[in-house]
Amino acid sequence: MKTLLCVVVSFLVVGLATHPIIAQTASATWSGQITYEGIHKIDPASLKFLDNNGELMKPGDPNWPKDIPDNRMSEQKVFINGTYAKVTGNNYQVMPTAGGKRPFTEQFFVDLKSLKKVTILTVGNDEDAKTYQAEVPLQRVSGWQLTDQTRKIAGYTCRKATVPYKKETYAVWITTELPITYSPIQELTPDTGTVLLIEGSKEQFKARKVAKTALDPSVLKPSVQAQTVAPEQLTELRQKAITDFLEKNRRVGQGG
């Protein structure tokens, strides 16, 4: 049986709002790639499934999946050159799919000079697709406490800091041996340094590899023609795209 899997819209929007931010330090220009592995705990209560007729299933229904994993794995790659960076991956967000298609796709870029994230949202598929662009400034949490604990991660010496985030205390391991300020979660970006490990009770990001290499700056900047919208409008467009996508595939499942 084919099922359509999605996360409650509010959860998806929260997940999409926590993409990484990078800040370029004034002392040097660094070019290369950082690869992170992520582990994200799944809350089954936040999941919804559609049956073949496009109807929402409930826990306990005969066709309710019995093999839902406890965690999802993800890989995030960050390509940095000078004043721009491109972030790929972030596939820990569960999104509805049907026939190999999704309600939208997104690209994420970081303007290191002005410290803002640029999101390119494409709604729909093929010739009906529409593309939008929104920019948001770096927003970081407060309450950082730097400790004396150190450890090596991906070949770099890191120092542990703790910070309140999502109603708990996160451990954030930071190195100052790279001339960039970066975190795979934007709210957990320190004032200075590169975050190579984030530890929370429901999620973790760890740098698997840091490689210094020359990259073409042109591929790290947004190149598509897109309609500029406010961040709030981008959120509304995501929600509408998911609603329309589910409704369309519900009609297909019902033979409409």
Side-chain angles (χ1 to χ4, degrees), residues 206-228:
K206 184 176 183 179
R208 185 179 75 240
K209 183 179 180 181
V210 179
K212 185 176 182 180
T213 183
L215 298 174
D216 182 356
S218 65
V219 302
L220 305 184
K221 297 181 180 181
S223 60
V224 299
Q225 295 295 321
Q227 177 183 342
T228 300

Side-chain angles (χ1 to χ4, degrees), residues 166-241:
K166 292 184 177 179
K167 299 182 179 181
E168 64 172 289
T169 299
Y170 272 57
V172 182
W173 294 82
I174 307 164
T175 183
T176 56
E177 296 176 356
L178 292 168
I180 54 173
T181 298
Y182 169 78
S183 174
I185 298 178
Q186 73 167 58
E187 290 88 350
L188 301 182
T189 302
D191 289 334
T192 303
T194 308
V195 173
L196 296 184
L197 174 62
I198 293 175
E199 297 174 305
S201 65
K202 297 180 180 179
E203 62 183 339
Q204 173 180 299
F205 282 95
K206 184 176 183 179
R208 185 179 75 240
K209 183 179 180 181
V210 179
K212 185 176 182 180
T213 183
L215 298 174
D216 182 356
S218 65
V219 302
L220 305 184
K221 297 181 180 181
S223 60
V224 299
Q225 295 295 321
Q227 177 183 342
T228 300
V229 298
E232 296 79 10
Q233 290 176 282
L234 207 68
T235 298
E236 294 173 358
L237 287 165
R238 289 193 194 100
Q239 293 175 326
K240 185 177 186 303

Side-chain angles (χ1 to χ4, degrees), residues 129-143:
K130 295 183 179 180
T131 303
Y132 307 89
Q133 174 176 320
E135 300 178 354
V136 292
L138 171 64
Q139 297 179 350
R140 294 178 279 191
V141 298
S142 58

Side-chain angles (χ1 to χ4, degrees), residues 7-15 239:
V7 171
V8 175
V9 170
S10 60
F11 172 80
L12 179 62
V13 172
V14 169
Q239 293 175 326

Side-chain angles (χ1 to χ4, degrees), residues 22 24 29-30 80-85 110-116 217 220-221:
I22 305 167
Q24 181 73 40
T29 297
W30 191 84
I80 306 165
N81 189 316
T83 60
Y84 253 93
V110 181
D111 184 335
L112 306 179
K113 185 176 181 180
S114 57
L115 303 183
K116 60 185 178 183
L220 305 184
K221 297 181 180 181

Side-chain angles (χ1 to χ4, degrees), residues 18-247:
T18 57
H19 287 290
I21 285 291
I22 305 167
Q24 181 73 40
T25 60
S27 59
T29 297
W30 191 84
S31 176
Q33 174 184 330
I34 304 176
T35 303
Y36 290 87
E37 289 181 340
I39 303 175
H40 317 273
K41 185 171 293 186
I42 294 176
D43 177 10
S46 69
L47 302 178
K48 290 184 178 181
F49 295 89
L50 298 179
D51 61 20
N52 285 342
N53 295 320
E55 297 295 331
L56 281 173
M57 292 188 290
K58 299 178 180 179
D61 286 351
N63 292 323
W64 183 265
K66 297 179 175 59
D67 56 350
I68 300 174
D70 294 329
N71 300 298
R72 285 180 60 85
M73 307 296 293
S74 70
E75 181 180 73
Q76 181 189 118
K77 293 183 179 180
V78 186
F79 303 90
I80 306 165
N81 189 316
T83 60
Y84 253 93
K86 181 177 182 179
V87 182
T88 66
N90 298 301
N91 55 352
Y92 57 91
Q93 290 94 14
V94 183
M95 193 184 302
T97 60
K101 295 184 178 181
R102 297 185 173 192
F104 59 81
T105 59
E106 286 187 288
Q107 298 181 67
F108 303 95
F109 301 87
V110 181
D111 184 335
L112 306 179
K113 185 176 181 180
S114 57
L115 303 183
K116 60 185 178 183
K117 179 182 66 176
V118 181
T119 301
I120 306 295
L121 173 72
T122 301
V123 177
N125 298 275
D126 306 321
E127 66 276 0
D128 296 327
K130 295 183 179 180
T131 303
Y132 307 89
Q133 174 176 320
E135 300 178 354
V136 292
L138 171 64
Q139 297 179 350
R140 294 178 279 191
V141 298
S142 58
W144 291 78
Q145 297 291 329
L146 195 61
T147 75
D148 293 328
Q149 297 182 51
T150 61
R151 61 181 287 190
K152 283 274 190 178
I153 301 173
Y156 294 86
T157 300
C158 297
R159 189 174 176 184
K160 180 182 177 181
T162 60
V163 62
Y165 181 59
K166 292 184 177 179
K167 299 182 179 181
E168 64 172 289
T169 299
Y170 272 57
V172 182
W173 294 82
I174 307 164
T175 183
T176 56
E177 296 176 356
L178 292 168
I180 54 173
T181 298
Y182 169 78
S183 174
I185 298 178
Q186 73 167 58
E187 290 88 350
L188 301 182
T189 302
D191 289 334
T192 303
T194 308
V195 173
L196 296 184
L197 174 62
I198 293 175
E199 297 174 305
S201 65
K202 297 180 180 179
E203 62 183 339
Q204 173 180 299
F205 282 95
K206 184 176 183 179
R208 185 179 75 240
K209 183 179 180 181
V210 179
K212 185 176 182 180
T213 183
L215 298 174
D216 182 356
S218 65
V219 302
L220 305 184
K221 297 181 180 181
S223 60
V224 299
Q225 295 295 321
Q227 177 183 342
T228 300
V229 298
E232 296 79 10
Q233 290 176 282
L234 207 68
T235 298
E236 294 173 358
L237 287 165
R238 289 193 194 100
Q239 293 175 326
K240 185 177 186 303
I242 292 173
T243 300
D244 292 347
F245 185 85
L246 292 175
E247 179 60 29

